[in-house]
Amino acid sequence: MRSILEAAERVLAENPAASMEQIAEASNVARTTVHRRFASRQALIDALAASTVERLAQAIEDGRPDTAPPLVALHRITANVLQFKSAWGFALGLPATEGSEATTTQEEIARRCMGLLVRAQDQGVIDSQADLDWVRRVYYALIGEALHDSPEDADPDVLAIKIVDTLLHGAGPRTR
Amino acid sequence: MRSILEAAERVLAENPAASMEQIAEASNVARTTVHRRFASRQALIDALAASTVERLAQAIEDGRPDTAPPLVALHRITANVLQFKSAWGFALGLPATEGSEATTTQEEIARRCMGLLVRAQDQGVIDSQADLDWVRRVYYALIGEALHDSPEDADPDVLAIKIVDTLLHGAGPRTR
DNA sequence: AAATATTGCAACAGTGGTGATGCAGTTATC
DNA sequence: GATAACTGCATCACCACTGTTGCAATATTT
């Protein structure tokens, strides 16, 4: 059950169009068995997406987004998410069914993130004029980009520093 | 010929797994005709990717990346690319064959971009400590993100300002 | 050990896409 | 206007994937 989802993660990460056969093979199970657990390919994908996004939400929660000081939370959450995504990230981009559990949780995560950004803005960590929706999307993009080339080797904390620094100060010259 | 590629762009943008049939239909042509022009599905995709990335390179060149002042070039190129990508951007993410014409041109574009960033750094527009490879990827990501929600309506110049500003200064408080 | 559930295997029908071909009608070229 | 090129259409063989089922073998429970 869980092992099938794990195998699916691995296989689909390499080839999003992989067949049920390949997934079954990767989890050392007959294709029929997969079909017995998951009525359809879509059902499997939904289950995978839901399970993964659920754990992502947990990793974020561990950073205490609405109680820790914004900067601290930002760092901790970034590091947690990096670590999680580098191992399980693929399934988060999976095309889950409209209105599925995965989608709902994703939205919940976005709300959590916005809440954190609002607190950061209130405390002057983010410019008061900033478009927080844009900031959030940039934040997401930076995380994705950081993983794009430093998959295994890099220390999540180091990467997190880089991301938060870029998010807040950009690439322009430092005036201090 | 060209009209088929244009239709393919439109159709594949909505559904990357679209069939030759759907592409043919969208270009008001019989499926056989498509097959007569493009030996295989992959050949069509390669041609589409090559043609598109070629025009992107032109749009970048129009911004004079290695003669105009870095900030000016950055703005102009960003606006040009935004405009181009909002209309034709999808095909740029297409899985072209290894070592195809499209891939080569992509690399050429990346080199052009790096050259511009180096000049920007030399002139103090970008921090002398900055990791230019990272900056370039962040730049790409910002462009992608900007298009993600403002597809048609927005003025490319306004978006370009937002992107360059974020790239150089981030979301932190303004000290001026 | 007996009963139950789970699995692998083989086989099947169904679907949908790919790529090719022959032919007849249409369009462009000279 | 004749010729050559192109197109649509119908059809074909072929393949890969999905989803189902029956059955025998294997694990699990009790």
Side-chain angles (χ1 to χ4, degrees):
Chain A
M1 189 72 197
R2 169 135 300 272
S3 74
I4 292 179
L5 287 182
E6 286 169 11
E9 219 287 329
R10 263 178 287 138
V11 173
L12 291 176
E14 276 197 2
N15 171 21
S19 67
M20 298 293 265
E21 180 70 55
Q22 292 172 276
I23 293 172
E25 186 186 6
S27 57
N28 298 313
V29 122
R31 187 173 65 92
T32 23
T33 303
V34 178
H35 276 293
R36 287 198 186 97
R37 293 269 173 292
F38 304 96
S40 72
R41 181 194 177 79
Q42 189 58 48
L44 186 157
I45 288 183
D46 284 349
L48 175 57
S51 146
T52 311
V53 80
E54 195 61 49
R55 282 180 296 155
L56 174 68
Q58 187 55 54
I60 290 172
E61 223 49 46
D62 290 348
R64 315 226 162 244
D66 37 35
T67 56
L71 253 183
V72 174
L74 211 47
H75 268 104
R76 281 209 296 232
I77 289 177
T78 305
N80 285 358
V81 171
L82 281 173
Q83 196 154 26
F84 181 81
K85 272 200 159 183
S86 82
W88 304 99
F90 166 75
L92 298 171
L94 241 40
T97 298
E98 187 82 16
S100 67
E101 188 189 335
T103 315
T104 313
T105 312
Q106 284 279 17
E107 286 162 5
E108 171 59 25
I109 287 176
R111 270 192 296 278
R112 267 281 194 288
C113 183
M114 281 306 286
L116 172 57
L117 291 182
V118 166
R119 282 206 305 132
Q121 194 174 41
D122 285 349
Q123 303 198 12
V125 173
I126 289 178
D127 190 81
S128 61
Q129 301 292 307
D131 170 357
L132 288 190
D133 229 32
W134 166 249
V135 174
R136 184 183 65 82
R137 297 215 319 283
V138 170
Y139 178 50
Y140 278 27
L142 288 178
I143 290 177
E145 211 51 53
L147 288 168
H148 202 273
D149 70 331
S150 343
E152 308 292 327
D153 54 315
D155 178 0
D157 278 316
V158 172
L159 278 182
I161 289 172
K162 194 173 199 170
I163 288 174
V164 174
D165 178 69
T166 302
L167 182 66
L168 296 181
H169 304 116
R174 301 309 154 99
T175 45
R176 113 195 49 106
Chain B
M1 189 73 195
R2 169 135 301 272
S3 73
I4 292 179
L5 286 182
E6 286 170 11
E9 219 286 329
R10 262 178 287 139
V11 173
L12 291 177
E14 276 198 2
N15 171 21
S19 68
M20 298 293 263
E21 181 69 56
Q22 293 172 272
I23 293 172
E25 186 186 5
S27 57
N28 297 313
V29 121
R31 187 173 65 92
T32 13
T33 303
V34 178
H35 275 292
R36 287 197 185 96
R37 294 269 172 293
F38 303 97
S40 71
R41 181 194 178 79
Q42 188 59 47
L44 186 156
I45 288 183
D46 284 349
L48 174 57
S51 145
T52 311
V53 80
E54 195 62 48
R55 282 180 296 155
L56 173 69
Q58 187 55 54
I60 290 172
E61 224 48 47
D62 290 348
R64 315 226 163 245
D66 36 35
T67 57
L71 253 183
V72 174
L74 211 48
H75 269 104
R76 282 208 295 232
I77 289 177
T78 305
N80 285 358
V81 171
L82 282 173
Q83 195 153 26
F84 181 81
K85 272 200 160 184
S86 82
W88 304 99
F90 166 75
L92 298 171
L94 241 40
T97 299
E98 186 81 16
S100 67
E101 190 189 333
T103 315
T104 313
T105 312
Q106 285 278 16
E107 286 162 5
E108 170 60 25
I109 287 176
R111 271 192 296 277
R112 267 282 194 288
C113 183
M114 282 306 286
L116 172 57
L117 291 182
V118 166
R119 284 207 304 132
Q121 193 175 42
D122 286 348
Q123 303 198 12
V125 173
I126 289 178
D127 191 80
S128 61
Q129 301 293 306
D131 170 357
L132 289 190
D133 229 31
W134 166 249
V135 174
R136 183 182 67 80
R137 295 216 320 282
V138 170
Y139 178 50
Y140 278 27
L142 288 178
I143 290 177
E145 211 50 54
L147 287 168
H148 202 273
D149 69 332
S150 343
E152 309 291 329
D153 54 314
D155 178 0
D157 279 315
V158 172
L159 278 182
I161 289 172
K162 193 172 198 170
I163 288 174
V164 175
D165 178 70
T166 302
L167 182 66
L168 296 181
H169 304 117
R174 303 308 155 98
T175 45
R176 114 193 53 100

